[in-house]
Amino acid sequence: RGAVVALDRKTGKEAWRVDTAGGVLSSVCALPDRVLFCSADGKLSAVNLADGKPIWSVSLAAGVMAPPTVAGSRVYTVDVT
């Protein structure tokens, strides 16, 4: 299990948390309106930057150990297949 946690940068208090079935083994990709992250259970997920609520999630062939990258309208990552 793992989690992506957002902290208030002034107080350090937890703003929101997204628990994952697989550990999160890389950094997140923070965009103006969302946060993208990959997990060891093979999911690439996007959550709302403000509250951590899910936007979308896709299952890849295997665990993902590299952070997602965004260029234009595409999201890129790798899996360990």
Side-chain angles (χ1 to χ4, degrees), residues 27-29 31 36 38 44 66-78:
S27 59
V28 301
C29 177
L31 300 172
L36 305 172
C38 299
L44 169 58
T69 300
V70 175
S73 64
R74 303 219 188 257
V75 177
Y76 299 91
T77 193
V78 297

Side-chain angles (χ1 to χ4, degrees), residues 12-36:
K13 291 184 180 178
E14 186 175 300
W16 52 259
R17 169 184 294 264
V18 176
D19 293 315
T20 64
V24 179
L25 304 174
S26 69
S27 59
V28 301
C29 177
L31 300 172
D33 64 341
R34 64 193 64 203
V35 176
L36 305 172

Side-chain angles (χ1 to χ4, degrees), residues 35-46:
V35 176
L36 305 172
F37 62 91
C38 299
S39 54
D41 61 350
K43 297 220 174 173
L44 169 58
S45 301

Side-chain angles (χ1 to χ4, degrees), residues 21 53 55 81:
K53 291 189 178 175
I55 298 172
T81 322

